[in-house]
């Protein structure tokens, strides 16, 4: 899908190389634990992942399954026959002096991902996705003149996803990354967390000159990007830099840049003077993979609902606004929680309410999830399923608010209480005395007493001063200790003043 | 097939072996002999032949995803030429 | 009663009958190892594990006293080529880069012998990282051929072959990549088994050519090899290239005639430059096989001559990758001269590797490098496919092939030095079967005069090649041959008998 409309502007041409750590129990080729959160250096190492003489790799079945799943989720063709190759280079974090990767027969190829940017759907083609093992981590204590190596990560399973250079703006790149992250999380393939390094991005950036049809004859790779924000910023920075150079009639140098977070700019790392020669060849230690069509179609049917389908359904079924949908979908666990709340609501609404009420409740559920609940979860840095509020209680609280049993303000109090200490909303409402007064006779007598003791305000209102009405409502609510059903208070007061 | 000194240096650099000028010349001659020896292979017609990289015919040899901490962890760290607080220590990479 | 040249089954019998204990047997062989195997003798041993051996022997004696059905290998001393990882026991691969290296784990085959309570006496010399056919590339100097200590024992498993030939151990672990068991077994006049690739686990064997490497054994008879094969063969979950096929009772299945067996004699294995006397011994051996009832069929394997060429590309290519881990970073030799990171690599590797290793690393690096991959590595792997096909075709017609193991008898130490092609030529009759992953034996079949000294008689070996997984075929032929010949019972003078 080469760009068809060539514009008269400088157009960014961006391809992404993304490494995603697969969430398995053990490493790619040995049974040392795969734990990205390990803090003790060289805790999860063994003779295989430190390349002791004579050790051999054995492929992790789950890594292959997750790799194929992710390939399918990215609309790739899963190869029946794929194989592992050795990629040779020397670096302290690479124990064997080669990385086991997939060269000419990757597990997945020729896919695409549709993303929606500013309401326009854009297709980004996936060139390939291949399995490989991670390297360890080199650490450089400042000013000490030595480096330290930790092999906990060495040998952990990765999938590398390579897109075609279809991306034409930093924003597209960001949306693509978010969508990819969501997909990885939805299928349970990993945490895809850029801050934690379980998803790593190396964009290849160049810029087309106005009217230029072919791909630019250079590209700049940027490393060291560890958040979506920086991804967007780094691409924007590079594009601007390239345009400037191109405007001067020159071509940007083909180099590797690094994103410098403090300076908010890219910095040249090393010119690739010595061309890498990785000397790929098939790894003789690992028999080929031969995935049957049956296995692949089993995986295909085991794919969960992916973000795009979910967005579509949320719009159709719940009529939620696009932004809310995206915010929900971006947080997989919250989406799951939301859907469970929704099914609780559906269970009891079914018999008694109309369809319209249901939609109102769905929106309410979404709002409560995205606002109060999100805020509380973020403040305590936990996921919805770790909170004390069960989906059932969440739904019940919403029901009480919708029924007018308690006010929204009171609902928020109950919600905080549920979040802090757990418990059922009924008990909390009772304990805190928050039940809303909807007994008309009680409200009427309160209003009567307010009218009696506020004659001036009553007269002002009758003379046309609308704000006096508000004052009288306030007084009535005070009389009712804040528990009066505001709608009823309004209605009754109005009637009494006529 | 005669290699140039330049080629030998490039190969040695890729292989991370430091060679003196004399060694470059020695290996240049010896590697050329080997390459000359294997050049006979050109005579074999391999049109349409698929390469073989493994002779066992095995495929899909996979292990279950179970993890365990290695009993050798401490011994591996102890055999690092230099270490610090459980890390492997090396000359500065930067 | 002298024990040095008894077969495993004979020693096992004595252990069972309590004529001797494993501890006594171990002490007896340890004495011999120290007396004849050390640097000032055959230089067959790089490390002797006296203390560990006696502990293992005591344990074996306890088992033997309790369990009348203990295996034939229980309590039997052996040696292991110093390429096998042995936990807590220095393992050098005959390279300076691993001079003081002590592995943290045992190779799978070592574990298997441990669980049989076989007794490891020490680690034997080899060509550095098994690169060679004479042990002359060892960082610790060459081993010597017990039949004439001025001659090479062959290699790379030269230390193991010399140790068995001189009666220092009843059997030894060895490895083959392209002749490294058959060739030294032949030159030292002992029996050697190179298994089908994938039959015996490579786990814990420092890799040379991963697609070829086959750990096997050298012993005094084919029957002994069959005993060891039953123990060593089998799937290893740590080696993805091992087969799950059943392991026959190789030794029990042995037969003493060859009626109905078809044996092919490939004419291309009688190469120009072959010593006429060696050729004569092979023809005599073939005659014996005929007497045993075998049908002898002349066959043709026209691609034979290309085997060594394929090997000369594939082997260095894999070596260049397999030896990348020896970088001075995590273990082994780290140059004391390293001022910066790049020195750790460049200097450690320069100081640590010998010339042959460097030569192969560089050849392989070249063969895999951009622009040359197709012409060298890919081409070689295509020819390799043709070699495999050619063997498959011939094994449609015959049960095994026989020919010479080596075209010549052992040469003087020093012959191989600085000849970058020595190994490829010395092993040319072994390499094609290696490239195809086939099982093979070398069994002693007489003697021939040394080419440079007609007063010296050196052993000749008969090679028996089987189809893939066809261990039983070759054991049967080798064993039947040894029931009517006594070449395998000959031993060199000068080692205490």
């Amino acid at each position: 899908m080469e760009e068809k409309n060539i514009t008269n502007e400088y157009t960014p041409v961006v391809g992404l190389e993304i490494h995603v750590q697969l969430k398995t129990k053990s490493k790619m080729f040995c049974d040392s634990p795969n734990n990205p959160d390990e803090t003790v250096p060289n805790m999860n190492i063994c003779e295989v992942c430190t390349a002791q003489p004579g050790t051999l790799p054995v492929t992790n079945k789950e890594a292959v399954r997750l790799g194929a799943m992710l390939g399918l989720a990215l609309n790739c063709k899963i190869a029946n026959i794929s194989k592992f190759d050795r990629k040779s280079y020397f670096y302290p974090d690479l124990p064997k002096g080669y990385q086991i990767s997939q060269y000419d027969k990757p597990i997945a190829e020729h896919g695409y991902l549709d993303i929606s940017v500013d309401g326009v759907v854009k297709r980004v083609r996936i060139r390939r996705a291949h399995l490989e093992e991670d390297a360890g981590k080199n650490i450089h204590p400042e000013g000490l003149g030595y480096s330290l190596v930790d092999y906990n990560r060495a040998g952990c399973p990765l999938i590398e996803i390579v897109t075609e250079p279809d991306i034409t703006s930093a924003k597209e790149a960001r949306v693509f990354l978010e969508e990819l992250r969501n997909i990885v999380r939805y299928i349970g393939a990993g945490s895809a967390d850029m801050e934690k390094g379980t998803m790593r991005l190396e964009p290849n950036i160049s810029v087309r000159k106005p009217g230029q049809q072919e791909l630019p004859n250079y590209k700049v790779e940027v490393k060291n990007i560890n958040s979506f924000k920086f991804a967007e910023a780094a691409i924007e920075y590079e594009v601007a830099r390239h345009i400037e150079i191109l405007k001067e009639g020159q071509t940007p140098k083909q180099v590797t840049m690094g994103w410098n977070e403090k300076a908010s700019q890219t910095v040249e790392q090393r010119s690739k003077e010595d061309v890498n020669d990785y000397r790929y060849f098939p790894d003789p230690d690992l028999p080929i993979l031969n995935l049957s069509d049956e296995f692949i179609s089993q995986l295909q049917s085991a794919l969960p609902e992916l973000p795009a389908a979910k967005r579509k359904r949320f719009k159709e079924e719940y009529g939620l606004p696009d932004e809310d949908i995206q915010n929900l979908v971006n947080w997989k666990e919250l989406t799951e929680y939301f859907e469970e709340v929704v099914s609780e609501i559906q269970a009891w609404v079914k018999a008694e309410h109309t369809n319209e009420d249901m939609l109102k409740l769905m929106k309410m559920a979404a709002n409560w999830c995205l606002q109060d609940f999100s805020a509380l979860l973020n403040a305590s840095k936990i996921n919805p399923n770790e909170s004390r509020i069960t989906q059932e209680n969440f739904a019940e609280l919403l029901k009480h608010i919708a029924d007018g049993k308690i006010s929204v303000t009171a609902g928020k109090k109950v919600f905080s209480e549920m979040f802090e200490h757990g418990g059922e909303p009924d008990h909390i409402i009772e304990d805190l005395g928050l039940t809303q007064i909807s007994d008309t006779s009680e409200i009427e007598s309160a209003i009567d007493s307010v009218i009696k003791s506020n004659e001036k305000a009553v007269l002002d209102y009758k003379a046309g001063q609308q704000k006096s009405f508000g004052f009288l409502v306030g007084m009535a609510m005070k009389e009712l200790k804040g528990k009066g059903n505001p709608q009823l208070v309004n209605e009754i007061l109005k009637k009494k003043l006529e | 097939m005669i290699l140039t000194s330049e080629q030998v240096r490039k190969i040695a650099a890729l292989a991370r072996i430091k060679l003196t000028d004399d060694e470059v010349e020695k290996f240049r001659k010896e590697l050329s002999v080997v390459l000359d020896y294997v050049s006979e292979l050109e005579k074999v017609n391999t049109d349409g032949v698929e390469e073989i990289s493994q002779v066992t015919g095995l495929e899909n040899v996979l292990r279950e995803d179970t993890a365990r901490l290695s009993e050798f962890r401490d011994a591996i760290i102890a055999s690092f030429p230099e270490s610090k607080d459980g890390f492997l220590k090396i000359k500065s990479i930067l | 009663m002298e024990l040095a040249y008894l077969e495993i089954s004979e020693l096992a019998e004595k252990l069972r009958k309590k004529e001797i204990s494993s501890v006594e047997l171990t002490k007896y062989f340890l004495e011999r190892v120290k007396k004849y195997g050390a640097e000032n003798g055959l230089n067959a041993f790089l490390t002797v594990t006296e203390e560990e051996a006696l502990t293992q022997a005591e344990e074996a004696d306890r088992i033997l006293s309790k369990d009348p059905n203990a295996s034939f290998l229980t309590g039997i001393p052996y040696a292991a080529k110093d390429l096998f990882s042995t936990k807590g026991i220095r393992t050098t691969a005959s390279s300076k880069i691993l001079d003081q290296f002590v592995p943290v784990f045992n190779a799978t085959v070592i574990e298997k012998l441990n669980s049989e309570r076989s007794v490891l006496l020490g680690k034997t010399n080899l060509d550095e990282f098994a690169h060679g056919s004479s042990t002359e590339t060892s960082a610790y100097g060459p081993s010597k051929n017990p039949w004439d200590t001025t001659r090479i024992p062959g290699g790379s498993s030269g230390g193991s072959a010399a140790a068995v030939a001189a009666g220092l151990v009843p059997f030894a672990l060895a490895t083959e990549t392209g002749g490294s068991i058959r060739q030294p077994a032949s030159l030292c006049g002992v029996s050697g088994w190179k298994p089908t690739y994938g039959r015996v686990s490579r786990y814990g064997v420092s890799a040379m050519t991963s697609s070829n490497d086959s750990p096997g054994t050298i012993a005094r008879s084919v029957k002994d090899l069959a005993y060891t094969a039953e123990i060593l063969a089998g799937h290893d979950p740590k080696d993805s290239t091992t087969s799950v096929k059943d392991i026959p009772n190789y030794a029990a299945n042995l037969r003493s005639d060859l009626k109905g067996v078809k044996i092919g004699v490939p004419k291309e294995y009688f190469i120009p430059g072959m010593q006429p006397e060696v050729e004569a011994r092979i023809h005599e051996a073939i005659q014996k096989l005929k007497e045993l009832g075998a049908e002898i069929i002349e066959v043709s394997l026209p691609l034979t001559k290309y085997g060594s060429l394929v090997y000369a590309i594939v082997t260095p290519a894999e070596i260049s990758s397999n030896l990348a881990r020896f970088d001075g970073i995590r273990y082994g030799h780290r140059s004391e001269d390293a001022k910066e990171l790049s020195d750790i690599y460049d200097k450690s590797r320069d100081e640590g590797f010998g010339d042959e290793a460097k030569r192969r690393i560089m050849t392989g690096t070249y063969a895999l490098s951009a622009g040359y991959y197709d012409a060298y590595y890919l081409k070689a792997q295509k020819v390799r496919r043709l070699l495999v096909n050619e063997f498959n075709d011939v094994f449609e017609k015959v049960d095994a092939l026989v020919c010479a193991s080596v075209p010549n008898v052992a040469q003087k130490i020093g012959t191989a030095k600085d000849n970058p092609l020595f190994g490829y030529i010395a092993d040319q009759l072994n390499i094609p079967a290696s490239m195809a992953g086939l099982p093979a034996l070398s069994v002693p079949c007489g003697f021939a005069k040394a080419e440079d000294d007609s007063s010296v008689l050196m052993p000749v070996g008969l090679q028996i090649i089987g189809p893939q997984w066809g261990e039983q075929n070759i054991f049967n032929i080798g064993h039947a041959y040894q029931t009517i010949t006594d070449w395998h019972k000959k031993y060199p003078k000068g080692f205490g008998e």
Side-chain angles (χ1 to χ4, degrees), chain A residues 50-51 54 57 86 91-92 95 277 285, chain C residues 202 204 240 321-322 330-331 345 370:
Chain A
T50 55
R86 295 183 181 179
Y91 212 58
D277 188 340
D285 291 329
Chain C
R202 295 182 290 123
S240 309
S321 165
N322 285 332
R330 293 164 316 287
Y331 52 75
Y345 288 101

Side-chain angles (χ1 to χ4, degrees), chain C residues 193-197 199 229 243 245-246 248 250 254 261 395 398-401 436-441 464-478:
Chain C
W193 165 51
K194 180 265 176 215
T196 303
Y197 177 82
R199 185 79 280 195
S243 170
K245 279 181 198 298
D246 287 343
Y250 295 125
L254 292 174
V261 176
F395 282 117
V398 299
D399 302 309
L401 299 166
L438 305 178
L441 297 178
I464 308 166
I465 303 168
Q468 195 175 32
W469 318 114
E471 259 73 14
Q472 191 70 60
N473 299 16
I474 59 173
F475 286 145
N476 286 350
I477 295 168

Side-chain angles (χ1 to χ4, degrees), chain C residues 224-243:
Chain C
D224 282 1
L225 293 176
Y227 286 127
T228 63
E230 287 177 18
I231 302 300
L232 300 183
H235 174 66
D236 179 4
K238 292 175 179 166
D239 177 355
S240 309
T241 60
T242 49
S243 170

Side-chain angles (χ1 to χ4, degrees), chain A residues 47-59 86 88 90-98 149 151 277-287, chain C residues 98 101 104-105 197 202-206 210-211 237-241 317-318 321-322 324-327 329-331 341 345 349 365 368-370 373 377:
Chain A
E47 65 276 25
V48 178
C49 56
T50 55
Q52 303 292 313
T55 52
L56 297 169
V58 185
T59 308
R86 295 183 181 179
S88 296
F90 289 94
Y91 212 58
D93 60 11
L94 188 70
K96 295 187 292 294
Y98 60 83
V149 192
Y151 293 111
D277 188 340
Y278 292 125
R279 289 158 283 140
Y280 283 100
F281 76 103
D283 193 330
D285 291 329
L286 293 164
Chain C
L98 290 177
F101 180 68
V104 300
F105 74 105
Y197 177 82
R202 295 182 290 123
Y203 193 78
V205 181
S206 191
S210 309
S211 66
K238 292 175 179 166
D239 177 355
S240 309
T241 60
E318 293 189 21
S321 165
N322 285 332
R325 67 185 59 194
F326 303 103
D327 55 8
I329 299 286
R330 293 164 316 287
Y331 52 75
L341 181 67
Y345 288 101
R349 286 166 70 79
T365 300
L368 290 174
S369 64
Y373 179 87
Y377 189 78

Side-chain angles (χ1 to χ4, degrees), chain A residues 19-244:
Chain A
H19 285 89
V20 175
Q21 235 180 68
L22 295 172
K23 197 161 99 192
T24 54
K25 294 189 192 81
S26 61
K27 293 187 178 183
M28 184 75 206
F29 297 110
C30 66
D31 58 6
S32 284
N34 168 18
N35 178 8
D37 300 322
E38 180 60 65
T39 52
V40 180
N42 291 309
M43 189 63 211
N44 300 325
I45 61 169
C46 72
E47 65 276 25
V48 178
C49 56
T50 55
Q52 303 292 313
T55 52
L56 297 169
V58 185
T59 308
N60 185 337
K61 196 180 195 173
E62 178 66 0
V64 173
R65 191 186 70 86
L66 292 176
M69 284 277 263
L70 185 54
L72 288 170
L74 296 174
N75 305 295
C76 288
K77 161 112 184 70
I78 302 302
N80 292 120
I81 304 283
S82 65
K83 67 177 170 74
F84 290 102
D85 301 275
R86 295 183 181 179
K87 176 182 181 179
S88 296
Y89 64 94
F90 289 94
Y91 212 58
D93 60 11
L94 188 70
K96 295 187 292 294
Y98 60 83
Q99 177 194 29
I100 304 178
S101 182
Q102 296 191 297
Y103 183 51
D104 56 343
K105 287 182 178 162
I107 189 162
E109 280 184 293
H110 311 306
Y112 63 86
L113 184 57
D114 288 335
I115 52 170
S116 169
V117 184
D118 301 328
V120 180
V121 174
K122 158 116 192 186
R123 176 161 292 191
V124 177
R125 292 168 301 161
I126 309 290
R127 183 179 296 167
R128 57 183 280 157
H130 67 255
L131 293 164
E132 62 184 27
E133 58 177 340
D134 210 342
K137 269 183 191 159
N138 298 320
I139 294 150
H140 319 289
E142 213 158 321
L144 290 178
Y146 58 79
S147 294
L148 300 172
V149 192
D150 177 7
Y151 293 111
N152 280 336
R153 206 180 63 182
C156 287
L158 290 178
I159 189 154
E160 180 177 344
I161 297 147
V162 183
T163 75
E164 297 293 346
D166 291 345
I167 290 168
T168 52
S169 72
K171 189 169 182 189
E172 278 177 20
R174 183 190 178 128
V175 173
F176 179 92
L177 290 170
E178 283 175 350
E179 185 71 355
L180 176 64
R181 174 202 60 192
N182 289 346
I183 289 174
V184 170
R185 290 181 179 177
Y186 275 57
I187 65 174
S191 63
D193 187 331
M194 287 192 74
E195 279 85 355
K196 277 191 183 167
T198 55
M199 176 155 123
R200 280 164 260 159
L201 166 73
E202 283 157 24
N204 280 295
I205 304 160
S206 57
V207 174
R208 271 197 184 99
K209 284 180 276 194
Q212 181 180 346
Q213 297 205 10
E214 68 281 357
L215 288 173
N217 58 358
Y218 76 94
K219 59 187 177 188
V220 171
E221 185 176 293
V222 185
K223 289 181 186 286
N224 206 20
I225 294 172
N226 57 11
S227 75
F228 291 133
K229 204 174 80 189
F230 295 149
E232 206 170 345
I235 292 171
E236 256 160 24
Y237 185 90
E238 272 300 298
V239 166
R241 188 175 72 82
H242 295 193
I243 290 175
E244 214 158 286

Side-chain angles (χ1 to χ4, degrees), chain B residues 41, chain C residues 306-315 380-381 383-384 387 435:
Chain B
L41 268 189
Chain C
Y306 296 109
S308 296
L309 308 186
V310 171
Y311 183 84
I313 293 169
V314 174
T315 289
Q381 294 290 48
V383 179
R384 186 180 191 172
L387 273 170
M435 296 313 300

Side-chain angles (χ1 to χ4, degrees), chain C residues 427-465:
Chain C
D427 298 332
Q428 60 184 313
L429 301 185
N430 306 137
I431 286 170
S434 292
M435 296 313 300
L438 305 178
L441 297 178
S442 179
V443 296
C445 68
F447 292 85
K449 291 187 202 80
E451 286 172 296
D452 52 45
D453 185 349
S454 60
S455 70
V456 177
L457 284 176
M458 296 301 289
V460 177
L462 174 72
Q463 180 176 201
I464 308 166
I465 303 168

